[in-house]
């Protein structure tokens, strides 16, 4: 009877896992369909707006403005591969994340790539330690077509990075990063943790034997548990500093409004 119950329980668990897998697949299909509908709606809105313009010259100018933006993003993508300023997204935290958090990581990397293409001085991005599950989620964004370096290896195993001056960004580091230097490459931990894991990136830097430093945001966000920026925001803080040479202005330009709202409530 106990053996039967054991096997019966295993069958129930397998059935439940299969149902969950099917449910996730259905949810993704719905999201993809909604995305297609949104793109179609935007296209229709552009078409309707063009019809309201009086002259052909105005219509041509409107169309060229969108083509110019697309061309600029394409050029910035190519420019990023030649940039002297480099960052690494270290995706070596698979065991610390749930499936939902891993999907969120893929989305954040996609957001970073999108934002980086809009910047006049884009960063050269390395996404390393890409494991099979993350690869599956990144594939939904067609990441193999992106203008960046993606690799399944740990960044310390990549030849062109082995002699580099590496700085691993960690909110738990004792050293503050005062400036961004061309001869340094900054590592951002590819970790999405809804419940913050203390010292995760700091321990990672020690394990790999590389220097660690933290972004100087403590004076802007007072509560410790809110000092962990997500992957895309941390990277854009670097581009913000390169633009303004000022961490305060970099913070104001790229950090989500919710962080500023939280700070205002505490004052």
């Amino acid at each position: 009877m106990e053996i039967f119950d054991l096997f019966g329980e295993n069958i129930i668990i397998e059935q439940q896992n299969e149902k969950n897998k099917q449910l996730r697949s259905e949810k993704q299909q719905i999201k993809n369909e909604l995305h297609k509908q949104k793109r179609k709606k935007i296209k229709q809105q552009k078409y309707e707006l063009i019809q309201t313009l009086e002259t052909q010259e105005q219509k041509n100018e409107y169309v060229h403005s969108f083509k110019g933006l697309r061309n600029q993003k394409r050029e910035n993508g190519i420019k990023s591969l030649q940039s002297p300023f480099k960052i690494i997204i270290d995706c070596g935290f698979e065991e610390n994340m749930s499936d939902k958090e891993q999907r969120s990581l893929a989305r954040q990397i996609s957001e970073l790539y999108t934002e980086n293409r809009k910047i006049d001085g884009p960063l050269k991005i390395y996404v390393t330690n890409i494991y099979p599950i993350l690869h599956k989620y990144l594939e939904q964004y067609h990441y193999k077509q992106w203008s960046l370096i993606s690799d399944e290896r740990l960044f310390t195993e990549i030849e062109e990075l082995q002699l580099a001056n590496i700085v691993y960004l960690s909110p738990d580091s004792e050293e503050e990063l005062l400036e961004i230097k061309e001869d340094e490459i900054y590592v951002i931990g590819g970790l999405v943790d809804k419940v913050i894991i203390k010292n995760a990136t700091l321990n990672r830097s020690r394990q790999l034997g590389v220097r660690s430093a933290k972004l100087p945001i403590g004076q802007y966000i007072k509560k410790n548990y809110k000092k962990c920026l997500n992957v895309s925001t941390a990277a854009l803080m670097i581009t913000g500093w390169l633009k303004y040479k000022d961490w305060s202005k970099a913070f104001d330009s790229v950090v989500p409004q919710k962080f500023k709202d939280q700070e205002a409530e505490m004052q």
Side-chain angles (χ1 to χ4, degrees):
M1 184 66 178
E2 292 179 356
I3 295 176
F4 175 82
D5 288 343
L6 177 62
F7 281 104
E9 183 178 349
N10 287 340
I11 291 172
I12 292 173
I13 292 174
E14 289 178 4
Q15 290 175 340
Q16 186 62 46
N17 289 340
E18 188 62 33
K19 287 182 180 179
N20 291 339
K21 184 177 179 181
Q22 182 177 356
L23 182 61
R24 287 196 298 270
S25 177
E26 291 173 353
K27 285 183 178 180
Q28 187 60 48
Q29 289 177 5
I30 292 173
K31 286 176 66 176
N32 291 342
E33 183 60 32
L34 289 173
H35 182 66
K36 288 180 182 178
Q37 292 178 6
K38 183 178 179 180
R39 287 173 62 93
K40 186 176 180 180
K41 183 178 180 180
I42 292 174
K43 188 175 182 180
Q44 180 64 28
Q45 289 174 342
K46 290 179 181 178
Y47 174 79
E48 291 174 354
L49 180 56
I50 289 175
Q51 301 310 308
T52 64
L53 300 176
E54 296 180 358
T55 66
Q56 187 63 42
E57 183 179 354
Q58 290 175 327
K59 294 178 180 180
N60 291 340
E61 184 177 347
Y62 181 79
V63 171
H64 289 322
S65 67
F66 283 101
K67 289 184 177 180
L69 181 60
R70 287 199 300 269
N71 290 337
Q72 181 184 357
K73 288 181 179 179
R74 189 179 301 110
E75 290 174 4
N76 283 353
I78 297 172
K79 192 189 301 183
S80 69
L81 294 174
Q82 303 167 347
S83 174
F85 296 100
K86 306 175 180 68
I87 62 169
I88 300 167
I89 310 300
D90 173 26
C91 304
F93 297 89
E94 178 182 6
E95 295 181 356
N96 299 102
M97 293 188 292
S98 66
D99 184 76
K100 182 177 181 180
E101 288 168 337
Q102 292 175 62
R103 290 201 306 273
S104 180
L105 173 60
R107 177 180 54 79
Q108 289 182 29
I109 293 173
S110 173
E111 289 174 354
L112 168 58
Y113 176 70
T114 299
E115 291 302 316
N116 193 54
R117 292 175 70 205
K118 298 177 183 178
I119 300 169
D120 289 336
L123 302 170
K124 184 173 183 178
I125 301 174
Y126 296 78
V127 182
T128 64
N129 240 28
I130 298 176
Y131 50 89
I133 295 177
L134 181 60
H135 166 76
K136 179 182 70 173
Y137 291 133
L138 285 171
E139 275 286 277
Q140 296 173 1
Y141 300 98
H142 310 290
Y143 82 103
K144 288 294 186 180
Q145 301 175 19
W146 295 352
S147 298
L148 51 68
I149 310 300
S150 60
D151 205 299
E152 297 176 358
R153 293 173 294 172
L154 182 62
F155 66 86
T156 54
E157 299 172 355
I158 299 175
E159 186 175 355
E160 64 182 286
L161 300 176
Q162 288 178 348
L163 298 178
N165 188 4
I166 301 289
V167 180
Y168 208 116
L169 299 182
S170 170
D172 300 305
S173 177
E174 294 182 0
E175 178 187 345
E176 281 199 342
L177 191 66
L178 300 180
E179 60 180 331
I180 302 301
K181 298 180 179 179
E182 187 173 327
D183 64 347
E184 294 179 341
I185 300 180
Y186 302 95
V187 183
I188 297 172
L191 172 63
V192 177
D193 47 351
K194 301 303 180 184
V195 178
I196 292 176
I197 303 173
K198 185 71 174 175
N199 293 327
T201 48
L202 180 60
N203 290 337
R204 179 76 163 169
S205 70
R206 290 170 175 170
Q207 174 192 354
L208 297 173
V210 299
R211 171 186 156 211
S212 69
K214 61 184 174 183
L215 294 173
I217 62 174
Q219 57 187 306
Y220 312 116
I221 304 176
K222 301 301 182 184
K223 290 187 177 180
N224 289 333
Y225 73 92
K226 293 177 181 175
K227 291 181 183 177
C228 298
L229 304 179
N230 66 26
V231 170
S232 56
T233 304
L236 292 174
M237 279 286 289
I238 293 175
T239 65
W241 190 91
L242 290 172
K243 181 177 181 180
Y244 300 107
K245 301 298 187 291
D246 183 294
W247 285 115
S248 176
K249 291 181 180 178
F251 180 87
D252 286 336
S253 67
V254 303
V255 171
Q257 185 62 39
K258 65 179 180 180
F259 282 89
K260 301 172 188 175
D261 294 341
Q262 289 166 353
E263 176 66 11
E265 289 174 3
M266 291 162 25
Q267 294 177 347

